[in-house]
Amino acid sequence: QLKLHYTRFMDLVKLQEMRNGYCRNSAYELVKTGQREEMCFLYRYWYSLYCNDYDLALDNTLEFNQGFKEPLPEEEVRKITESAVKAYEAWLIDSRETDESKRGRQVGNKKYKHKGYNYRNETLIKMLNITVEEMKELKTIISKEIKKERQYTKEKAARRNENGLTKKQAEKKMFFDEVQKLHEQGM
């Protein structure tokens, strides 16, 4: 879980960096304002979950806010991220009280959901107007298609040896090399 929270807020940093401090509007154009509130909220929430210290999370969120072309006023950042603290506290209480065996399993006729905010990638992509090109640079806030593409590439790479050959291609090459060696010996 900690790795996910860390990777999520680092994706926000990467997104801000790729956009050079700009935000994206619904037409996917870079603009100075918009989404700053959501990004600061998400940053503080995930940072709180990661470090278990919402004061440190606030300090880092204020620093993150300075990365925008037009940063929000400090007081506004404090105000809009207060609900992140409440959600963090709900998550913390839930994680202490909930039986480990329930997490991620069916409870009655519903799947157990951890308290706090549990955003789906699709929701985050839509909320932050993330483009396909941007997703290719992010680690966790990605579409199902990008995830499948990465898995395919990883699996494909795993099927190849250090020379980039599949097992079958390596066997063919070894056979061909052996035949060539025998031919050079006059056979």
Side-chain angles (χ1 to χ4, degrees):
Q1 280 275 340
L2 288 179
K3 186 177 179 183
L4 175 65
H5 303 312
Y6 174 80
T7 310
R8 290 260 192 204
F9 75 76
M10 289 308 293
D11 272 356
L12 292 176
V13 170
K14 182 71 174 173
L15 197 58
Q16 187 185 60
E17 182 184 293
M18 286 188 299
R19 293 176 175 178
N20 294 315
Y22 287 98
C23 300
R24 283 202 189 280
N25 62 18
S26 57
Y28 294 92
E29 300 165 329
L30 292 173
V31 292
K32 285 186 180 181
T33 61
Q35 302 167 332
R36 297 169 301 166
E37 296 84 355
E38 291 91 348
M39 288 178 79
C40 285
F41 166 80
L42 291 168
Y43 187 93
R44 185 170 183 192
Y45 178 61
W46 289 326
Y47 202 99
S48 295
L49 291 171
Y50 173 69
C51 72
N52 271 341
D53 183 341
Y54 42 76
D55 291 328
L56 178 61
L58 174 61
D59 292 341
N60 281 287
T61 303
L62 292 169
E63 187 178 323
F64 172 74
N65 177 53
Q66 293 305 309
F68 291 113
K69 283 288 181 195
E70 202 170 289
L72 294 164
E74 184 176 321
E75 200 48 47
E76 190 174 343
V77 173
R78 288 176 186 276
K79 190 175 181 178
I80 61 173
T81 63
E82 281 177 11
S83 58
V85 173
K86 292 175 187 160
Y88 160 71
E89 288 171 343
W91 185 91
L92 196 59
I93 290 167
D94 186 47
S95 67
R96 288 182 185 148
E97 294 175 353
T98 304
D99 181 0
E100 284 287 326
S101 65
K102 287 183 185 175
R103 293 202 190 115
R105 299 181 191 269
Q106 204 74 10
V107 179
N109 61 354
K110 290 185 173 181
K111 187 174 178 183
Y112 173 77
K113 280 179 126 180
H114 211 303
K115 288 189 172 119
Y117 292 102
N118 302 296
Y119 291 102
R120 291 185 129 132
N121 281 353
E122 295 81 21
T123 305
L124 294 167
I125 291 165
K126 216 174 198 178
M127 180 192 304
L128 303 174
N129 299 322
I130 301 174
T131 66
V132 173
E133 293 77 32
E134 289 170 336
M135 278 187 261
K136 288 178 180 178
E137 300 296 318
L138 301 178
K139 295 201 190 264
T140 63
I141 307 174
I142 57 174
S143 67
K144 289 178 182 176
E145 293 77 21
I146 299 287
K147 183 178 180 179
K148 284 179 186 175
E149 186 180 308
R150 286 183 185 175
Q151 285 175 333
Y152 174 75
T153 304
K154 187 176 180 181
E155 288 169 5
K156 190 176 174 185
R159 291 188 299 237
R160 299 189 177 272
N161 66 16
E162 63 278 353
N163 298 323
L165 302 173
T166 63
K167 183 178 178 183
K168 184 118 177 140
Q169 290 170 332
E171 288 171 359
K172 268 183 169 178
K173 184 178 178 343
M174 202 168 70
F175 178 75
F176 180 77
D177 290 347
E178 192 65 32
V179 168
Q180 192 172 14
K181 198 186 287 181
L182 291 170
H183 180 67
E184 288 171 0
Q185 293 174 358
M187 296 186 161

